[in-house]
Amino acid sequence: MPTGVVAGGLAIVLSMVCGIHSYAVAEERADQAQSRERSVWNPLTWKWVPTEEEIQKYRRGWNPMTHGPILNTGIDIQPKGQFLVQPFIFGEIGHGKFTNQFGTATTDSPFHLRAVAPTVIVAYGLTDHFELNVAPSWIWFNSSQARDSDGRIIQEENNVGDTTIYLKYRPIVQDSDTARPTVTLYNGVTLPSSQWFGTKGIPGGFSPLGRLPGTKFGGLSFTEGILLRKNLNPFRLNAGLYYSYTAPGSTAGMNTYNGDIVNTRFIVEYIANEQRGLGFNLEFVTLHGLPFRLDGHNLNIKPASFNLIGVEPSVQYKFFHNSNGALVGAAGVLFSVAGQNNIDAIYPNISLYYYWGKGKVMMR
């Protein structure tokens, strides 16, 4: 494992810890400032977080305990002291590839891919406004590549995937009497733990449509996002926009530069039975590989850009919710419906959320 890479990863983690401390200090100052006269010229009197009255009003409103979207991170924040663990299994099966012209046209892909990426996300409510998440992952894939002579070349891998650490900050909670939605900011870093453990990258360099954040496999990436949610009984509307920048890589001694990546999410939930947490989701997702980088470097990774659009029907269910915690689950299949320069695939996936904390746990 390269010493410089490890040192860089540790430095990033330490910087996030320092950032969390700074956020907590800022929040404490903001709470103290709420009793002062507000002034647009004094940042210490700005409203950085929802008031306690706004949070309690929101918690009294309609928001039944259910799983929520599968392909988007939770938009609401774990209450202070509440834990969440999410085992998540994301699969991918694809034999076709979208052409260089954006649309629905596909050709046979040189790589026929089957992959499974189990991930475990652990979240903790630092305060009622900040949530820390750690998400290590694993990767198994089987890739079959056509060759000039008869037969195909088979490549397989079963090893450590990348690890994402992210902090969510919720400055605004929705109001049931107005159109105001919940607004949450996502700040994350994806560490190339797959590279540290020598995990082979997926042949063809495909970026999976539903993975969040949809960063380059084996790359050190930074992601910023903005998330929105609005409850309109019996529906919940969710949206997310994420921008990822990947640090320069290295292959055979040459620096590599791939384009930045944008992910979008829009999910409609219909809650059919509140007591059972039974709901049905329609999840729309997009993935866009941009033909440029924030640092201005020219790209030297092909293809220079790509696009994918997919839709997933899914179902969610509540197994229990009591003083010991709560367990909810969801399952669905994501289908690629259009794209450019990327794999045409289906993505079966299943997710569980287990909440625990002091007293009866609350929906995010």
Side-chain angles (χ1 to χ4, degrees):
M1 189 184 307
T3 304
V5 174
V6 175
L10 291 175
I12 292 167
V13 173
L14 288 174
S15 67
M16 290 194 69
V17 172
C18 292
I20 292 169
H21 175 71
S22 299
Y23 273 132
V25 171
E27 180 183 343
E28 181 180 356
R29 290 178 178 175
D31 291 338
Q32 295 172 351
Q34 286 184 358
S35 61
R36 305 175 191 170
E37 183 180 356
R38 298 191 183 277
S39 169
V40 71
W41 308 110
N42 185 356
L44 291 179
T45 66
W46 293 355
K47 183 180 173 183
W48 295 99
V49 296
T51 65
E52 184 62 25
E53 291 75 17
E54 289 172 331
I55 291 177
Q56 293 306 319
K57 181 180 180 181
Y58 173 50
R59 289 177 177 170
R60 289 192 300 268
W62 180 82
N63 193 26
M65 172 65 76
T66 67
H67 182 282
I70 298 180
L71 302 179
N72 199 29
T73 184
I75 295 172
D76 282 320
I77 300 299
Q78 301 303 308
K80 182 178 180 180
Q82 182 168 297
F83 286 89
L84 162 69
V85 61
Q86 180 196 6
F88 176 64
I89 299 178
F90 185 80
E92 181 175 6
I93 305 169
H95 292 175
K97 183 179 180 182
F98 289 105
T99 65
N100 188 46
Q101 185 70 33
F102 179 78
T104 59
T106 61
T107 61
D108 183 59
S109 172
F111 299 94
H112 291 182
L113 177 66
R114 292 179 299 153
V116 178
T119 300
V120 177
I121 301 173
V122 179
Y124 176 70
L126 296 170
T127 73
D128 285 335
H129 317 296
F130 296 96
E131 176 186 298
L132 178 64
N133 295 256
V134 180
S137 68
W138 194 266
I139 181 70
W140 172 88
F141 70 79
N142 176 287
S143 177
S144 170
Q145 179 184 4
R147 56 185 179 183
D148 294 337
S149 58
D150 293 338
R152 304 180 69 89
I153 300 173
I154 306 297
Q155 296 187 57
E156 289 189 327
E157 181 60 288
N158 185 23
N159 208 341
V160 175
D162 292 332
T163 300
T164 301
I165 302 173
Y166 53 100
L167 179 71
K168 293 190 291 188
Y169 160 51
R170 184 181 61 184
I172 300 172
V173 296
Q174 59 186 284
D175 184 276
S176 57
D177 296 326
T178 70
R180 186 180 75 203
T182 294
V183 178
T184 299
L185 303 180
Y186 175 104
N187 312 271
V189 56
T190 300
L191 302 175
S193 49
S194 62
Q195 187 182 92
W196 300 347
F197 284 86
T199 307
K200 292 184 294 188
I202 296 176
F206 296 121
S207 296
L209 176 59
R211 182 174 178 270
L212 184 68
T215 55
K216 180 180 181 297
F217 187 78
L220 173 62
S221 301
F222 304 88
T223 301
E224 297 295 324
I226 182 168
L227 317 173
L228 304 173
R229 184 179 194 178
K230 184 64 177 175
N231 300 338
L232 299 168
N233 187 358
F235 297 97
R236 286 195 293 232
L237 307 179
N238 309 263
L241 174 65
Y242 304 83
Y243 190 101
S244 296
Y245 163 84
T246 303
S250 178
T251 301
M254 180 186 73
N255 287 339
T256 56
Y257 302 95
N258 64 281
D260 296 343
I261 297 177
V262 170
N263 291 261
T264 70
R265 302 286 193 268
F266 179 72
I267 301 101
V268 179
E269 298 178 70
Y270 168 64
I271 307 303
N273 187 308
E274 295 182 25
Q275 286 69 38
R276 296 184 177 180
L278 177 63
F280 302 93
N281 300 352
L282 198 57
E283 310 195 23
F284 301 90
V285 300
T286 72
L287 179 68
H288 309 280
L290 305 179
F292 60 82
R293 296 171 54 86
L294 285 178
D295 59 20
H297 280 288
N298 294 326
L299 308 188
N300 57 3
I301 299 293
K302 300 295 184 181
S305 63
F306 59 84
N307 296 280
L308 281 175
I309 296 178
V311 60
E312 171 172 290
S314 59
V315 60
Q316 52 182 312
Y317 186 78
K318 178 175 66 180
F319 299 98
F320 68 83
H321 179 203
N322 54 40
S323 58
N324 296 319
L327 178 65
V328 293
V333 179
L334 173 63
F335 300 90
S336 301
V337 296
Q340 177 187 18
N341 290 332
N342 213 319
I343 194 169
D344 177 23
I346 63 172
Y347 306 84
N349 49 83
I350 186 168
S351 170
L352 295 172
Y353 281 132
Y354 175 62
Y355 300 85
W356 77 95
K358 296 180 180 179
K360 190 171 182 178
V361 297
M362 291 178 283
M363 182 66 182
R364 296 167 298 176

